[in-house]
Amino acid sequence: MNLTEARKRVRELTELINEYNHQYYVLAQPRISDYDFDMLLQELIALETLHPELQKSSSPSQRVGGQITRKFPVVVHKYPMLSLGNTYSREELVEFDKRVKKSLGETYEYVCELKFDGVAIGITYENGEMVRAVTRGDGIRGDDVSANIKTIRSIPLQIQQAGIPKVFEVRGEVFMPHQSFMKLNLEKQQKQEALFANPRNAAAGSLKLQDSSMVARRHLDCFIYGILGDSLPHSNHYENLQAIKKWGFKVYSHIRKCRNIQEVFQYIDLFEKKRGELPFDIDGVVIKINDHDQQDQLGYTSKFPRWAISYKYKAEQAGTILLDVVYQVGRTGAVTPVAVLQPVLVAGSRVKRASLYNAGKMEELDLHYRDHVFVEKGGDIIPKVTGVSLPDRLPGAEKIQFITSCPECGTALEKKEGEAIFYCPNTTHCPPQIQGKIEHFISRRAMNIESLGQGKTELLIRNKLIEKVSDLYDLEYDQLIGLEKVIVDPLTQQERKVSFGEKTVQNILDALDRSREIPFEKVLFALGIRHLGETMAKRLARHFKSIDALMAASFEDLTAVDEVGDKMAESITGFFSDPSNREMIARLKEAGLQFEVKETGTGRKASSLKGSTFVISGVFQRHSRDEIKALIEEHGGKVSGSVSSRTHFLVSGENMGPEKRKKAESLDVPIISEDKLEAMIAGEAWDHNPNE
Ligand code: IVH
């Protein structure tokens, strides 16, 4: 294909992909299969790789992310990004309406919209192409997060409608749908990382990520609620929203024109009821004057428009009866009390269980059986018990005592002096704690057996098929096939079906097989020795070279290693002195796992970077620069000091030199993160072939 033909095909593919994208993500009406869609996208990416000059910054290929932004450039907003005056009281809304009436006379119209609970964004288009997306910041200047925003598939990158203004800006709210939020927190839980408290925090956190390919995986979405510019299609808000909807933006469908404040109240009431059924969070309703001239007439205070206000819903509360308290044991052995309630409707959903946080909080509430309790569902998905109505307590009611032994394994619970949390000390035989260890072992950064994730390990533990990580390597096809269970989250009551079909079982067995090649340093990390993170596991593996040498090391031998402190040394010697751990290691050895450092030049992984030249710049989170260099060289890559046309990748950390970045950008050298480099080493898919 010559350049002219390629240009034509790139244009065709761009239009097709944009159209399918709009149908899927904005209209929720998919027209082609995911497979066919991926084929089109791959064809486009291949053509753009072959002819980089054809790749526009608004190409749909940008949606998969990959760009690293160390520090988001700060941009001054063309139109300040104001916030809204808000109220929780209907009386204040009536007051607002009186002020409007006084200023405008009798004839005006409101537009009611939902107040989406996420992060505000301003997106500018020039000649139909997205040029920049900026966060609110302080309202005057915000961060340019364009690369991250491009990963949101409901936001058009290019608009091809006749009559659109040459330059305009849309304003909207980036949010994380409940489904994406649940998935993200589940993944975080499996990796034993801190969870996001609510979808708003998750959306805000995601937009700040430096690696846009990670943002792409978070599945954010965005509703557009306004347009600004010099030549807008209409002179009122409602018609402008309808126009931008036609241009391809995702505008929420239930926008209502209201002739008076009573109609506004009807809208508020309607969504107060419907709120719990929406697949995303809202925290209220926004009421805006429709006509632009009337908006101008009302004007602004120093912070807010006088032509709009938000009515915020209260965190919904309901009263119900406390039937019992049950206890959940977490991966670390921490015990969480959960209230079992007489079912009650809160924010539109039926609540049967609510969190009581921990023993300290439960003691504070001083709960008795059949107490009348208050349950609240705010921005967080999980409802909480917030208080007790003492006048309603039944005479002679029995106080609920925190349990003294683990509900999972019966071991006596322990609590450190002054702490509010009880722990189960049975780290080796208590099922949820076993699960924690196994999930760490199979995680991507450790043994990378992710086909066993998402509730499957739980099922295996409950069926007594595994108790230790070494049991994984004894699993056989016949034991796994057909296993099935519906797992219900005790708090959210969300159901998830976990099943072992033919393909899943084969994937698991293959992944287990492949994990026999995982290098020693990762195996060491996977063992889950307390305080031993990835970086130190690597350092210890390189220092001692084998598990036998490490197991034989004394406390002094260990603390002699750079950055190994007393706490870590104690933890390591403690781990290896436990006979059950020694036995587990012996069994893992028998299973064929790597317990020695392999010298370079052998094995498949050693050549995973062959033929590629790298330049390293900046400071990294998990490795020193020397370690990054050694890693690249160990895996067949070359390291050079400066970026040139012969550089294949620039590996960037914190504080990367601006000159190197500029040079790399001008030469189209991909800038990759430490994570991406590791993924390449692990042989995961990457979009560059050095032989091309
Ligand atoms: S209009 C000048 N409409 O609420 C008026 N804002 O304090 C500008 N928000 O973070 C805002 N949904 O991003 C408007 N339908 C909606 C909205 C909305 C959510 C957010 C906005 C900002 C905050 C305003």
Side-chain angles (χ1 to χ4, degrees):
M1 200 183 277
N2 65 30
L3 187 61
T4 317
E5 286 163 345
R7 179 171 289 121
K8 185 163 166 267
R9 185 63 185 151
V10 164
R11 203 175 305 135
E12 273 169 16
L13 286 167
T14 303
E15 277 174 28
L16 269 176
I17 293 169
N18 283 343
E19 183 52 31
Y20 288 134
N21 219 19
H22 179 242
Q23 283 163 355
Y24 189 99
Y25 291 100
V26 181
L27 306 177
Q29 292 165 345
R31 287 281 150 81
I32 59 165
S33 70
D34 288 356
Y35 176 81
D36 291 337
F37 184 89
D38 284 345
M39 287 295 113
L40 294 175
L41 191 60
Q42 274 181 25
E43 188 184 344
L44 178 68
I45 292 172
L47 278 174
E48 287 178 348
T49 313
L50 214 57
H51 304 283
E53 66 274 34
L54 298 181
Q55 189 189 75
K56 286 191 181 181
S57 67
S58 61
S59 164
S61 62
Q62 302 302 298
R63 297 218 188 260
V64 288
Q67 189 178 320
I68 310 288
T69 318
R70 190 182 55 78
K71 195 165 181 337
F72 299 109
V74 174
V75 176
V76 176
H77 291 292
K78 184 168 176 191
Y79 309 95
M81 243 171 148
L82 301 178
S83 63
L84 287 167
N86 66 55
T87 176
Y88 287 92
S89 116
R90 291 184 183 230
E91 291 73 40
E92 280 182 22
L93 269 193
V94 173
E95 290 303 315
F96 169 81
D97 183 51
K98 279 189 187 151
R99 285 198 300 277
V100 168
K101 195 173 280 172
K102 195 167 165 206
S103 195
L104 299 178
E106 288 304 317
T107 48
Y108 55 88
E109 205 172 36
Y110 289 117
V111 176
C112 283
E113 297 165 20
L114 298 184
K115 187 169 187 298
F116 309 106
D117 200 6
V119 184
I121 195 82
I123 315 171
T124 304
Y125 290 78
E126 286 177 16
N127 303 314
E129 253 183 54
M130 183 210 280
V131 288
R132 127 184 30 92
V134 184
T135 59
R136 177 164 183 271
D138 61 4
I140 304 297
R141 43 180 79 74
D143 289 343
D144 182 336
V145 288
S146 305
N148 290 349
I149 290 295
K150 281 180 190 170
T151 67
I152 302 178
R153 306 217 170 207
S154 60
I155 299 178
L157 302 178
Q158 237 179 338
I159 303 159
Q160 282 183 322
Q161 298 267 338
I164 58 164
K166 197 168 159 26
V167 181
F168 66 91
E169 180 175 340
V170 291
R171 293 270 167 94
E173 194 84 352
V174 173
F175 64 96
M176 187 173 281
H178 290 160
Q179 215 185 359
S180 316
F181 175 70
M182 298 281 192
K183 190 166 161 270
L184 175 63
N185 263 356
L186 193 74
E187 281 167 15
K188 285 193 157 277
Q189 198 175 20
Q190 283 168 352
K191 289 184 197 150
Q192 302 200 25
E193 290 173 4
L195 305 189
F196 280 116
N198 53 48
R200 182 185 356 97
N201 290 4
S206 304
L207 276 193
K208 285 193 203 126
L209 289 171
Q210 298 184 344
D211 181 348
S212 59
S213 64
M214 278 179 71
V215 187
R217 274 184 251 139
R218 297 270 174 107
H219 300 287
L220 296 170
D221 205 339
C222 180
F223 280 121
I224 301 298
Y225 54 67
I227 175 167
L228 296 158
D230 292 336
S231 47
L232 299 182
H234 302 283
S235 60
N236 68 70
H237 177 62
Y238 187 84
E239 282 181 297
N240 277 332
L241 286 184
Q242 303 310 318
I244 61 176
K245 195 171 179 172
K246 288 207 186 88
W247 299 349
F249 289 100
K250 182 161 176 158
V251 176
Y252 191 62
S253 45
H254 294 282
I255 296 169
R256 188 149 312 154
K257 282 198 275 189
C258 297
R259 281 163 302 180
N260 51 50
I261 201 74
Q262 277 68 40
E263 288 186 0
V264 170
F265 286 138
Q266 282 167 12
Y267 186 88
I268 289 175
D269 290 342
L270 178 69
F271 277 97
E272 188 147 28
K273 284 201 204 89
K274 278 195 169 188
R275 184 182 176 197
E277 296 160 26
L278 297 171
F280 49 82
D281 276 357
I282 61 166
D283 58 344
V285 164
V286 183
I287 302 122
K288 302 173 181 171
I289 283 289
N290 192 18
D291 184 80
H292 285 177
D293 287 339
Q294 289 186 326
Q295 286 184 358
D296 291 344
Q297 208 176 319
L298 286 163
Y300 297 83
T301 70
S302 60
K303 282 198 244 153
F304 311 130
R306 287 200 180 89
W307 48 264
I309 190 165
S310 75
Y311 175 84
K312 294 243 230 169
Y313 293 125
K314 288 181 201 71
E316 270 222 48
Q317 236 196 21
T320 187
I321 307 291
L322 174 68
L323 302 176
D324 201 357
V325 174
V326 292
Y327 300 85
Q328 266 182 284
V329 184
R331 311 285 151 87
T332 55
V335 180
T336 311
V338 176
V340 181
L341 307 166
Q342 198 156 66
V344 60
L345 262 182
V346 194
S349 52
R350 198 159 165 263
V351 172
K352 290 193 282 191
R353 302 208 165 191
S355 171
L356 288 165
Y357 306 93
N358 56 43
K361 181 77 186 175
M362 189 170 133
E363 190 53 42
E364 227 173 80
L365 286 165
D366 183 30
L367 299 173
H368 287 58
Y369 285 100
R370 302 205 68 83
D371 263 352
H372 190 104
V373 292
F374 300 111
V375 187
E376 198 173 291
K377 208 171 158 211
D380 304 353
I381 295 267
I382 296 168
K384 310 175 185 71
V385 172
T386 52
V388 182
S389 169
L390 290 180
D392 290 326
R393 176 163 296 161
L394 298 175
E398 189 192 339
K399 183 176 158 89
I400 304 181
Q401 302 287 354
F402 203 89
I403 45 167
T404 51
S405 56
C406 175
E408 299 276 350
C409 69
T411 308
L413 299 180
E414 288 175 1
K415 184 163 86 86
K416 286 208 184 101
E417 226 5 79
E419 278 194 5
I421 302 173
F422 272 100
Y423 284 92
C424 166
N426 180 10
T427 51
T428 45
H429 292 92
C430 180
Q433 299 191 62
I434 299 174
Q435 193 175 333
K437 288 199 186 69
I438 293 181
E439 273 168 9
H440 170 73
F441 185 82
I442 63 170
S443 64
R444 196 170 67 83
R445 293 199 179 289
M447 303 304 282
N448 194 18
I449 316 172
E450 291 217 310
S451 38
L452 254 177
Q454 311 267 328
K456 296 205 179 61
T457 46
E458 190 182 333
L459 191 49
L460 297 183
I461 293 165
R462 303 271 165 206
N463 279 283
K464 304 236 176 300
L465 289 173
I466 49 174
E467 195 183 47
K468 283 193 169 117
V469 295
S470 46
D471 297 334
L472 289 169
Y473 293 89
D474 296 333
L475 289 173
E476 284 173 12
Y477 187 90
D478 291 343
Q479 292 175 303
L480 299 177
I481 194 80
L483 282 179
E484 190 173 283
K485 192 173 185 231
V486 174
I487 294 182
V488 184
D489 186 295
L491 275 177
T492 60
Q493 298 289 300
Q494 292 244 336
E495 290 187 359
R496 216 158 19 91
K497 189 168 158 190
V498 180
S499 64
F500 286 78
E502 227 169 272
K503 207 166 143 208
T504 311
V505 173
Q506 204 47 56
N507 282 344
I508 292 169
L509 295 176
D510 289 349
L512 279 165
D513 213 23
R514 274 199 305 275
S515 76
R516 293 185 164 92
E517 291 301 316
I518 297 281
F520 172 44
E521 57 195 39
K522 292 209 178 221
V523 179
L524 182 58
F525 170 61
L527 294 178
I529 301 173
R530 195 174 277 192
H531 307 305
L532 185 61
E534 232 178 329
T535 312
M536 290 312 292
K538 212 165 272 184
R539 188 160 296 164
L540 288 172
R542 297 217 176 118
H543 183 93
F544 290 98
K545 300 233 171 351
S546 74
I547 194 93
D548 293 338
L550 182 63
M551 282 167 84
S554 65
F555 182 87
E556 288 71 28
D557 294 337
L558 288 164
T559 47
V561 179
D562 204 13
E563 285 191 46
V564 176
D566 291 1
K567 208 162 82 173
M568 192 187 298
E570 230 167 70
S571 167
I572 296 170
T573 50
F575 183 89
F576 289 128
S577 63
D578 181 334
S580 68
N581 289 334
R582 295 179 83 92
E583 191 214 305
M584 172 186 73
I585 289 166
R587 283 180 57 201
L588 288 174
K589 267 188 186 170
E590 261 169 50
L593 266 57
Q594 304 292 320
F595 279 108
E596 281 175 24
V597 172
K598 262 197 182 170
E599 294 313 325
T600 54
T602 52
R604 207 156 31 95
K605 294 285 178 309
S607 57
S608 52
L609 304 181
K610 194 162 174 231
S612 296
T613 303
F614 295 76
V615 172
I616 307 167
S617 182
V619 181
F620 298 87
Q621 287 199 338
R622 286 187 304 281
H623 303 89
S624 70
R625 282 176 58 144
D626 283 346
E627 282 170 349
I628 295 256
K629 183 166 183 276
L631 260 180
I632 294 173
E633 288 171 352
E634 273 168 26
H635 293 88
K638 280 203 201 103
V639 177
S640 111
S642 58
V643 180
S644 75
S645 59
R646 284 185 300 281
T647 310
H648 292 110
F649 296 98
L650 173 59
V651 192
S652 88
E654 282 282 319
N655 298 325
M656 175 171 85
E659 285 309 312
K660 283 208 172 93
R661 167 182 291 280
K662 242 197 233 157
K663 190 83 188 278
E665 280 171 354
S666 72
L667 291 169
D668 266 343
V669 171
I671 303 176
I672 61 165
S673 61
E674 192 180 12
D675 283 353
K676 182 98 179 208
L677 178 71
E678 288 193 339
M680 285 162 64
I681 289 172
E684 287 170 22
W686 43 294
D687 42 23
H688 174 83
N689 177 358
N691 301 320
E692 262 174 15

